[in-house]
Amino acid sequence: LVHQPGTIWDYSYSIDLLARLVEVVSGESIDRYFDEHIFKPLGMTHTLFQDDHTQVIPKRATGYEPGETGVGYKLDMSNWDETGDGNVYTSVEDLYLWDQAFYSNALGKDVMDMLHTTGTLSSGKKIDYAFGLVVTDYKGLKVVEHGGSWAGFRAAIVRFPEERFSVICLANIGTMDPSGLAFKVADIYLAGKLKEPEKKETKKAEAIAVPEKDLALLVGNYQEPRFGQWFEVVLKEGKLAARRGTMTFLLVPVAPMTFELRAPATTLRLEFEAAAAGQPGKVRVVYPGREDADTYVKAAPLSPLAAAHLAEYAGTYVSPELLDARYEVAVEKGALVLRTRTVPKAALKAMAPDKFRESEFGATIEFVRVKGGKVTGFKLGVGRAAGIEFVRK
């Protein structure tokens, strides 16, 4: 378990298990069951679950991503046949019919009420997530909404039930923000009813001068302990910068050991803590509007890995937790690479002794050794899940 049930809320794809239960109990595929009991009764004739990625779907849009160099575009399509948590193909017109069903209770009032029932943690704290819907407040009005993203596709539905007003936005490029666009439409249409939050006068923190030798002490790889995610702190032209995946952001010093990451849409505060008394250095990442913060721990310095060292990791690994999924780790052109059945070959970047980050999706791998130093397996982290065990064959 990532945490004890009921103590923390995390978004996950466990809804896929519900789809399997529906199939077992009904004796039908999820697509056929939904078509018979939900889609057709609502008149949604252009909606289906795709359980075969080779299936031809008339008028289907193609997903896109920007090109590698920022010039042009490339295709970004899914080749997965997983249904339940996704793989629904639909249209704006059909989603309008789905949206209107929440006013007519076409699928039953009990069902519609359940979908809007938000959760409560064991501590008594209420969360704004219900059964696949986010129920919250936007500028004084109740709003029910949810977004989605996969490959080169993005989607959002934003509903203001008390106003009987909804915005539906679908996009076929991965850089689009349909939820943001939907709320901008709501800002215009509901302008007379929305209450703009009081603007607090926030003075932009002034940058201070920090000697480059002091900045150099903060350089390194930092890891979040819970899910194992990484970011790098580097020196770039005499200035400190944070690197996450392929993106690099300059860090502006605003106080001793405190920096701001000023992205176009938000500003994050990074509070560094120097190593002391045998404890590694740390950095707290504080997000605007959030009470909590993420703490990342600085990893031990990493020496260059020789070919013989890399060869220690090469081999076939199997996960009993993932129905004996097989991962291949190999050395190619002086670097470690990862191969799986459904994902293209990916490079593994060394982040700390025995710890690597996969370059494409940001998955993390921590190799496990027994006494004597032999590698016997690894633990995989994939964002919302961590500690998935693989055993060397």
Side-chain angles (χ1 to χ4, degrees):
L1 294 176
V2 175
H3 53 75
Q4 288 300 310
T7 60
I8 296 173
W9 178 84
D10 275 318
Y11 186 86
S12 76
Y13 294 122
S14 56
I15 194 171
D16 184 58
L17 290 173
L18 295 178
R20 304 288 77 77
L21 287 172
V22 169
E23 292 182 332
V24 170
V25 173
S26 68
E28 299 178 325
S29 69
I30 193 71
D31 177 50
R32 184 169 181 178
Y33 183 87
F34 266 69
D35 188 56
E36 179 182 350
H37 296 280
I38 295 179
F39 299 150
K40 279 184 179 176
L42 295 181
M44 299 170 67
T45 56
H46 295 91
T47 304
L48 72 153
F49 274 95
Q50 186 195 47
D51 54 13
D52 177 1
H53 68 274
T54 65
Q55 176 184 356
V56 175
I57 300 176
K59 300 181 180 180
R60 180 177 71 169
T62 300
Y64 294 91
E65 290 284 351
E68 297 292 349
T69 61
V71 179
Y73 297 90
K74 63 179 181 178
L75 298 184
D76 191 3
M77 302 287 285
S78 175
N79 64 352
W80 287 15
D81 297 330
E82 182 180 333
T83 55
D85 60 339
N87 266 22
V88 175
Y89 284 75
T90 187
S91 65
V92 168
E93 293 81 2
D94 272 16
L95 284 177
Y96 166 77
L97 298 175
W98 169 253
D99 174 79
Q100 293 301 297
F102 284 89
Y103 299 115
S104 65
N105 291 319
L107 299 178
K109 188 174 185 304
D110 291 343
V111 172
M112 294 312 196
D113 287 345
M114 181 196 72
L115 290 175
H116 289 86
T117 303
T118 55
T120 302
L121 301 181
S122 55
S123 64
K125 179 182 178 181
K126 293 187 178 297
I127 60 174
D128 58 17
Y129 205 86
F131 286 77
L133 295 171
V134 180
V135 182
T136 185
D137 177 274
Y138 180 73
K139 297 183 179 180
L141 294 181
K142 179 181 179 180
V143 62
V144 180
E145 52 98 7
H146 209 291
S149 65
W150 184 244
F153 300 96
R154 299 294 183 267
I157 299 182
V158 174
R159 179 187 307 112
F160 292 82
E162 295 166 352
E163 309 302 321
R164 292 187 73 100
F165 173 74
S166 301
V167 184
I168 300 166
C169 185
L170 305 181
N172 63 328
I173 183 167
T175 54
M176 188 66 76
D177 176 18
S179 292
L181 291 175
F183 279 109
K184 286 182 179 180
V185 172
D187 284 340
I188 296 171
Y189 188 86
L190 300 174
K193 299 180 179 181
L194 295 171
K195 297 177 182 177
E196 291 293 334
E198 292 185 14
K199 291 185 178 179
K200 296 181 180 179
E201 291 295 330
T202 54
K203 188 177 179 181
K204 193 173 183 180
E206 295 289 338
I208 65 172
V210 179
E212 188 170 332
K213 63 180 180 61
D214 293 340
L215 296 177
L217 296 175
L218 305 178
V219 169
N221 297 331
Y222 292 78
Q223 185 178 33
E224 189 274 319
R226 188 170 169 221
F227 292 112
Q229 296 300 296
W230 291 94
F231 80 81
E232 304 166 65
V233 175
V234 299
L235 266 179
K236 185 177 180 181
E237 299 177 356
K239 297 180 180 180
L240 211 61
R243 182 183 297 152
R244 185 74 180 266
T246 59
M247 302 184 71
T248 301
F249 299 92
L250 287 178
L251 299 179
V252 180
V254 294
M257 300 288 282
T258 303
F259 296 75
E260 286 187 352
L261 187 160
R262 296 171 179 173
T266 188
T267 296
L268 307 183
R269 190 176 181 89
L270 279 70
E271 301 171 350
F272 287 86
E273 180 181 321
Q279 295 296 318
K282 298 177 182 178
V283 59
R284 293 178 71 252
V285 181
V286 183
Y287 303 87
R290 268 180 50 177
E291 298 177 2
D292 57 338
D294 290 336
T295 298
Y296 290 75
V297 179
K298 190 175 184 180
L302 182 65
S303 301
L305 298 178
H309 194 170
L310 291 175
E312 296 178 14
Y313 302 116
T316 300
Y317 298 80
V318 176
S319 174
E321 293 186 64
L322 297 183
L323 305 179
D324 292 336
R326 297 172 70 89
Y327 282 23
E328 302 286 340
V329 177
V331 180
E332 292 187 5
K333 298 179 180 179
L336 219 55
V337 296
L338 178 70
R339 296 193 188 94
T340 70
R341 183 176 62 87
T342 58
V343 179
K345 178 179 68 177
L348 295 178
K349 182 177 181 179
M351 304 300 290
D354 286 339
K355 295 183 178 182
F356 294 78
R357 181 176 63 82
E358 182 270 329
S359 57
E360 184 71 16
F361 300 103
T364 62
I365 286 180
E366 180 177 356
F367 287 94
V368 177
R369 297 177 184 267
V370 293
K371 281 186 177 181
K374 182 180 179 181
V375 174
T376 58
F378 64 74
K379 293 183 179 180
L380 174 71
V382 285
R384 299 187 184 110
I388 302 170
E389 294 186 353
F390 279 74
V391 179
R392 193 172 195 173
K393 298 297 287 184

